[in-house]
Amino acid sequence: MTETLLSRSVRRLFAGGGAIGPILLVQLLVQPQAHAQEAAERPVARVVVTGSNIRRAEAETASSVLTVNRADIERSGKSTVSELLQTLAVDNQGSVPSSFGNGFAAGASGISLRGLGTASTLVLLNGRRMAPYGLADDGQKVFSDLNVIPTDAVDRIEILKDGASAIYGSDAIAGVVNIILRRDFKGTTVRGSLGMTGDWDGEKENYAITHGFGDLQADRYNVLLNFEYKRNNNIWLRERDDRRHIGRIDLRRWGYSAQQALGGTGAITGPNAAGSAINGNVRNPLTNNYYNRGSLDPAAGFTRPQPGAACSNFTNQPQGDPGGGCLIDSTLLYNQIVPQQENYSVFGRGTFRLTPEIEGYTELNLYKSLTAASTTPSTVSANVGFPGGPVSNADIALGAGHPDNPYFGTAARLRYLAADVGPRVSNIDSIFVRALAGIKGSFAGWEYDTALLFSRNRVSNERSGYLQRDVAYALLNPTAANVALAQAGSPAYAALPAGTLWRIGENAGLNTPEVYGALSPRIANDARTKIIQGDFKATREVGQLAGGAIGVAAGAEWRREETELQPTAGTERGNIIGLGYSAYRGARNVFALYGEALAPVLPGLEVTGALRWDHFTDVGNSYTPKAGVKWQPVPQLALRGTFARGFRAPSAAENGVGGLAAFSTAADPLRCGLGVAAACNPASIAIITSPNPNLSPERSKSYNLGVIWDPLPRTSVSVDFWKIKRKNEINQELTTAAIAAGHVARDPSTAQQPGDPGAITAVLANYVNSAQTEVRGVDVDARHTVRLPGDWGNILLDGKWTYIDKWLRTELDGSSRDFAGTHGNCDVSNCVGTPDHRVNLRAAWDRGDWRVSLNANFRGTIENTQFKNDPRGCASHFANGEDAPSDCRLASFTTFDLVARWKPLPGLEVFGSIENLFDKIAPLDPLTYGAQAYNPLDFQGAVGRTFTLGARYTF
């Protein structure tokens, strides 16, 4: 086999000289005749490319594949695989950032290709699966944690950007991310780096050592060992109080008010409605109006004034709440931009030449992560849900004889932020194991590969700062009924002296440790996932066509999947205020057969086809075909196209045993129409969702049509038009649709006027095959290299642009919502929206021992509506009723990163980076719940300028 113009991409694939682009943009460069003759005589390796099991000499296939090699990772300046992947233009809504420390899947990181969610993006390690993270995103979406990948062991990452279920089975609807680790290495490399923000916090430590020994040809073996340690210190929002709105829930300076839940914590928002104040808001038993405990207003009608509860004794936050509440900026005080995380990982690979035709190999991945995330203290009145239904805590009250009750003699409802208990903290311990043993070789013209895989993830989540409902009720309002319930449910409460009270606000210092031990004990839950897999696959050439030999591949796979999430103690009876129930359990077996063919029917024209059959013991059979064609009419031009079917089998969280109680944001149109102003804007709301054993798999069709063109020497341009249509989608009912249909529970005691049905305590939903989604767009990838005169090196210009033209979701009732370019879908992950434009740009200069890159990452504007042409208009409003932000749009956001590498001595490399070079501040986002007042996509704009310096030495 001799090298062609296209097959040069194979050499680029392994040489590390490519940039982020579709499977190494075809380098159809016009070369001098002598160089062309030299290339024609050079043999080229045959490789397997992600999306195919057939070995081939040309790395370009009919499918669009984006490849990130080691040089690209270094040029990006990112220290982890997850950080790099989540900056790519192909990532969109539904991805899980490591910074989302208070999410369902805290401690992990996941990618969402095409915005179709982490569950529809299959992540592979060396072409095979790994156990998903133990905590499902949103309590539903099972995904692989990118944090387990050892950065220094990565050889390259291949991202298949169209459907791949015909090759890999379930979960590959949006595409595949295949992380390929080094397969052999000789020598020793030691690397260390330190990072810090411009505010002297958020320290990052990253150390690695890689050692390899043995020559596969001479010694018949090679062993590669890698150890990495990473530590990221937390960054508190209070340390960014100079970055305008970042982290603030009190946005009055920017035109918002408490009616949008953005006027500070503790506001009194209307008749019979109040937030939770640090010193307590109480309801007048006669008028049902709320007053702050420190109020001096005679209209409050206090029977025992509380002068020590004056707001000024608790905070220096600017006041001025029209309702008289005591305001603090709780998120700024207690929340984090980045949680503290510490990771250890070990990777080992051994390769052994058993005979000239047979090679054995083993792999071992060990990973341990410790994450500590903090958020605001618990309120006493937050509603929760559990499988038995919603639990309203709106009636919690200070008892008639409680000394902190300003309406002494009569019980009074209380809205209190339990700052004396402390912030709510989650300590997450994750342990990941993956072990693989296999044999590959050749026999009778076939090249085969077979392996046995075991992978497991165990996660333990220990929480503090959460309140026991029965104990809180009894300590605040010790009626006979409340005391009896607390004594029956809490031995710690039963051990307290009779008549013990929880003193609040200014009197919290009177509480004993035993009171807090009963009120807020440590609670925990565990999760585990496991995969056992055996597979066999083989490929060979058979026969000849006009364009060359026919390639075929076939294989079989068996897999056992097990998943279990145990409920946090107390949530199974709705007894943890503000923390809903989440638990599931399921197991199944999967068996699959698959085949693939590559037919070069004419010179420059090849047709590919694949078919896979999967049998799941819980959801039955699935048949998924794929077809593709690639035509190269002239050396400088190639056309390609694919069609594929795909599927995703429901996870144990969706069709197993258990349930989920979670929170989202939504307005209440019914109460808004009755004139209850606070109900007109999105606010936090509980959602109770039950699994459904009758779910069918999601099905999809994907289409891709592209062109690769080299108009000039050292210039490549590719354009891909793509569309994915997914049906039988497994979703909760849309929160807004469920509210409109009346699938809610309400608390009539919170009514503010005649005819008011009261606030929603929970939305009641099931997982159902409820919708279909059509997503379509364009990927553009351009690259140009400029050779500078003399010995000044080269300049590489590289650009990637993804445009989402449509993200249309259609419900069973025929209603549809297009989320492209808007802030929807807020039922997905952390409500980051669906930006329709994402761009990555790079200008790199390489000269001798120097390599310098300037990278730009761009997110387009986002309409602050729930979907296109939403009849309700803007999702947020200023206090004066005008659309918010201005023009109801989140401004676009661009950051620049500067990266440099220098080799002063043989074997020594010094590197450094400045992320967010110009210290841009992220635009204000009033809607997302994945961060406070900024969009998680703009994370670097919240952190600020960040510096990293490190060195690598190779022995």
Side-chain angles (χ1 to χ4, degrees):
M1 183 67 68
T2 57
E3 181 172 270
T4 66
L5 291 170
L6 273 175
S7 65
R8 286 200 190 98
S9 56
V10 176
R11 288 192 292 107
R12 293 178 57 215
L13 188 68
F14 296 106
I20 302 173
I23 195 160
L24 303 170
L25 291 175
V26 187
Q27 219 178 24
L28 307 175
L29 306 181
V30 178
Q31 301 287 349
Q33 183 63 33
H35 291 179
Q37 179 64 33
E38 176 187 351
E41 297 171 354
R42 187 184 304 121
V44 65
R46 291 165 57 82
V47 297
V48 174
V49 180
T50 299
S52 174
N53 287 311
I54 298 175
R55 287 190 171 273
R56 64 188 71 210
E58 295 183 353
E60 279 291 352
T61 69
S63 295
S64 176
V65 180
L66 182 154
T67 298
V68 184
N69 57 32
R70 290 185 60 81
D72 298 322
I73 296 172
E74 293 173 352
R75 286 189 177 109
S76 74
K78 304 301 181 183
S79 60
T80 67
V81 170
S82 61
E83 288 178 3
L84 172 63
L85 292 179
Q86 290 179 347
T87 62
L88 298 182
V90 292
D91 185 45
N92 211 282
Q93 68 149 297
S95 64
V96 179
S98 295
S99 59
F100 195 18
N102 298 313
F104 275 95
S109 180
I111 185 172
S112 170
L113 297 178
R114 308 304 191 197
L116 287 171
T118 54
S120 290
T121 301
L122 179 62
V123 176
L124 303 175
L125 189 59
N126 288 338
R128 289 182 169 94
R129 293 177 182 253
M130 55 185 182
Y133 190 57
L135 304 177
D137 183 35
D138 286 341
Q140 173 194 2
K141 306 172 190 73
V142 175
F143 68 99
S144 297
D145 180 13
L146 297 172
N147 290 335
V148 307
I149 306 301
T151 308
D152 256 32
V154 173
D155 182 67
R156 66 188 185 278
I157 304 169
E158 296 178 351
I159 302 174
L160 179 65
K161 298 188 291 181
D162 61 7
S165 289
I167 306 298
Y168 301 110
S170 179
D171 309 332
I173 286 178
V176 176
V177 177
N178 186 14
I179 301 163
I180 301 169
L181 304 184
R182 292 183 179 185
R183 298 187 182 276
D184 60 78
F185 177 73
K186 288 182 64 177
T188 302
T189 298
V190 178
R191 177 182 57 82
S193 66
L194 297 173
M196 183 178 294
T197 74
D199 291 281
W200 299 93
D201 61 2
E203 297 87 348
K204 290 185 177 183
E205 302 175 52
N206 193 332
Y207 308 104
I209 181 169
T210 303
H211 178 61
F213 58 94
D215 185 286
L216 197 58
Q217 301 301 322
D219 304 322
R220 300 176 60 186
Y221 73 90
N222 178 263
V223 176
L224 167 67
L225 300 172
N226 169 264
F227 171 78
E228 290 194 22
Y229 169 79
K230 299 185 181 79
R231 178 184 174 89
N232 296 338
N233 283 351
N234 52 30
I235 301 177
W236 294 94
L237 283 169
R238 58 177 174 263
E239 300 298 331
R240 296 296 183 273
D241 60 356
D242 60 341
R243 295 185 71 80
R244 301 203 291 259
H245 52 270
I246 299 296
R248 299 181 184 273
I249 199 170
D250 185 355
L251 296 175
R252 290 173 293 168
R253 276 189 287 167
W254 291 270
Y256 296 87
S257 76
Q259 300 302 323
Q260 292 84 34
L262 295 172
T265 302
I268 296 173
T269 55
N272 197 17
S276 297
I278 195 170
N279 58 348
N281 291 323
V282 288
R283 192 176 76 167
N284 186 316
L286 299 178
T287 66
N288 286 348
N289 291 327
Y290 277 89
Y291 294 90
N292 187 258
R293 286 181 60 250
S295 175
L296 300 177
D297 185 356
F302 289 165
T303 59
R304 178 180 285 183
Q306 307 283 319
C311 187
S312 59
N313 292 337
F314 295 86
T315 180
N316 58 6
Q317 179 78 11
Q319 298 302 307
D321 175 33
C326 178
L327 304 178
I328 67 168
D329 207 317
S330 60
T331 54
L332 191 69
L333 291 174
Y334 296 104
N335 283 17
Q336 300 165 320
I337 299 176
V338 179
Q340 181 167 303
Q341 191 168 56
E342 191 172 20
N343 303 332
Y344 309 81
S345 69
V346 174
F347 170 68
R349 178 181 172 90
T351 308
F352 311 93
R353 181 66 56 81
L354 304 178
T355 73
E357 293 81 22
I358 301 176
E359 185 179 286
Y361 59 91
T362 61
E363 294 178 4
L364 177 65
N365 297 77
L366 302 174
Y367 169 84
K368 181 178 176 64
S369 171
L370 302 170
T371 303
S374 174
T375 188
T376 55
S378 177
T379 68
V380 297
S381 55
N383 301 318
V384 296
F386 73 112
V391 177
S392 174
N393 296 312
D395 62 348
I396 194 166
L398 289 171
H402 196 294
D404 299 331
N405 182 2
Y407 295 106
F408 192 80
T410 307
R413 288 197 176 189
L414 175 67
R415 299 293 180 263
Y416 178 56
L417 185 73
D420 57 305
V421 175
R424 289 168 291 174
V425 176
S426 295
N427 290 287
I428 302 159
D429 185 350
S430 174
I431 298 176
F432 172 83
V433 178
R434 182 179 182 270
L436 177 75
I439 295 176
K440 62 181 180 180
S442 59
F443 178 77
W446 289 88
E447 297 180 52
Y448 64 85
D449 187 353
T450 182
L452 181 64
L453 166 72
F454 171 83
S455 185
R456 182 182 67 195
N457 182 231
R458 289 187 174 179
V459 181
S460 175
N461 189 356
E462 184 180 77
R463 293 178 168 99
S464 61
Y466 288 84
L467 307 182
Q468 301 282 314
R469 181 183 189 272
D470 51 7
V471 175
Y473 269 69
L475 289 174
L476 292 173
N477 186 16
T479 64
N482 287 344
V483 169
L485 285 173
Q487 288 178 335
S490 172
Y493 175 81
L496 294 174
T500 298
L501 299 174
W502 174 20
R503 303 300 300 274
I504 66 171
E506 70 280 11
N507 297 312
L510 301 175
N511 297 318
T512 66
E514 290 75 18
V515 167
Y516 288 120
L519 177 64
S520 181
R522 290 184 176 271
I523 54 178
N525 71 321
D526 296 317
R528 65 177 183 88
T529 62
K530 183 167 67 175
I531 287 180
I532 301 174
Q533 176 178 303
D535 61 59
F536 177 88
K537 54 189 174 183
T539 179
R540 69 167 296 165
E541 292 182 347
V542 293
Q544 287 280 332
L545 294 175
I550 302 171
V552 296
E557 179 182 314
W558 171 85
R559 189 167 73 248
R560 171 72 175 177
E561 300 176 346
E562 298 180 7
T563 304
E564 181 180 14
L565 172 65
Q566 299 172 355
T568 302
T571 60
E572 76 283 353
R573 57 192 180 101
N575 196 52
I576 309 300
I577 295 175
L579 182 63
Y581 175 88
S582 181
Y584 45 81
R585 184 180 70 254
R588 65 188 174 203
N589 294 325
V590 184
F591 182 73
L593 296 172
Y594 51 89
E596 183 184 358
L598 165 64
V601 293
L602 294 171
L605 176 65
E606 69 175 38
V607 177
T608 59
L611 178 65
R612 180 176 172 123
W613 166 73
D614 288 86
H615 174 74
F616 289 75
T617 53
D618 57 343
V619 294
N621 299 321
S622 179
Y623 299 89
T624 47
K626 182 172 183 176
V629 61
K630 187 187 75 174
W631 179 40
Q632 186 182 355
V634 294
Q636 292 80 21
L637 182 69
L639 304 176
R640 63 186 176 196
T642 60
F643 165 77
R645 292 184 181 270
F647 77 102
R648 182 180 77 85
S651 69
E654 296 163 330
N655 74 345
V657 177
L660 168 70
F663 292 88
S664 184
T665 55
D668 187 344
L670 177 59
R671 298 185 77 209
C672 179
L674 295 173
V676 180
C680 298
N681 291 281
S684 180
I685 193 168
I687 304 174
I688 301 173
T689 309
S690 300
N692 182 354
N694 298 317
L695 289 173
S696 299
E698 296 181 344
R699 307 283 181 180
S700 70
K701 295 179 181 179
S702 63
Y703 309 83
N704 194 92
L705 183 63
V707 57
I708 307 168
W709 179 41
D710 287 8
L712 297 170
R714 297 177 295 280
T715 302
S716 286
V717 178
S718 71
V719 180
D720 286 281
F721 299 88
W722 51 268
K723 181 171 76 170
I724 301 174
K725 189 171 184 178
R726 184 175 62 182
K727 64 179 183 179
N728 285 348
E729 286 186 337
I730 302 170
N731 294 305
Q732 302 167 338
E733 299 170 79
L734 277 173
T735 302
T736 52
I739 292 173
H743 299 162
V744 299
R746 295 182 179 273
D747 184 357
S749 68
T750 60
Q752 296 188 18
Q753 61 191 42
D756 181 357
I760 295 173
T761 57
V763 176
L764 309 176
N766 290 296
Y767 291 119
V768 292
N769 293 111
S770 64
Q772 67 178 27
T773 293
E774 181 178 330
V775 187
R776 71 184 185 200
V778 181
D779 293 333
V780 177
D781 196 317
R783 172 190 172 96
H784 178 66
T785 301
V786 179
R787 293 182 177 176
L788 300 178
D791 62 349
W792 284 94
N794 299 319
I795 292 179
L796 169 67
L797 303 176
D798 186 19
K800 313 288 178 288
W801 170 50
T802 291
Y803 170 64
I804 296 181
D805 173 60
K806 178 191 287 188
W807 210 108
L808 183 68
R809 176 169 162 178
T810 303
E811 304 296 332
L812 287 176
D813 62 5
S815 62
S816 61
R817 296 168 175 82
D818 188 350
F819 298 119
T822 75
H823 215 311
N825 177 4
C826 274
D827 291 343
V828 173
S829 193
N830 45 30
C831 189
V832 302
T834 310
D836 50 5
H837 294 274
R838 293 200 72 180
V839 179
N840 307 127
L841 300 175
R842 172 178 299 153
W845 175 53
D846 295 351
R847 182 196 181 196
D849 296 329
W850 283 92
R851 178 179 293 176
V852 181
S853 300
L854 180 64
N855 306 313
N857 298 303
F858 169 82
R859 170 197 51 82
T861 58
I862 298 176
E863 293 183 26
N864 193 31
T865 58
Q866 296 284 2
F867 52 90
K868 285 184 179 180
N869 302 315
D870 187 348
R872 296 167 300 178
C874 200
S876 305
H877 297 86
F878 291 117
N880 62 7
E882 294 180 0
D883 291 348
S886 298
D887 300 324
C888 196
R889 285 178 177 269
L890 273 66
S892 63
F893 187 64
T894 305
T895 57
F896 292 86
D897 303 332
L898 182 65
V899 184
R901 291 180 176 270
W902 175 46
K903 292 184 177 180
L905 297 170
L908 176 63
E909 181 180 62
V910 179
F911 56 89
S913 67
I914 306 175
E915 295 182 85
N916 195 0
L917 179 64
F918 301 110
D919 201 21
K920 293 282 294 294
I921 297 177
L924 194 158
D925 185 341
L927 190 59
T928 182
Y929 54 85
Q932 186 58 48
Y934 67 92
N935 195 293
L937 293 173
D938 307 335
F939 159 81
Q940 201 62 48
V943 172
R945 187 182 291 118
T946 303
F947 303 89
T948 301
L949 183 64
R952 175 188 288 114
Y953 189 80
T954 301
F955 298 89

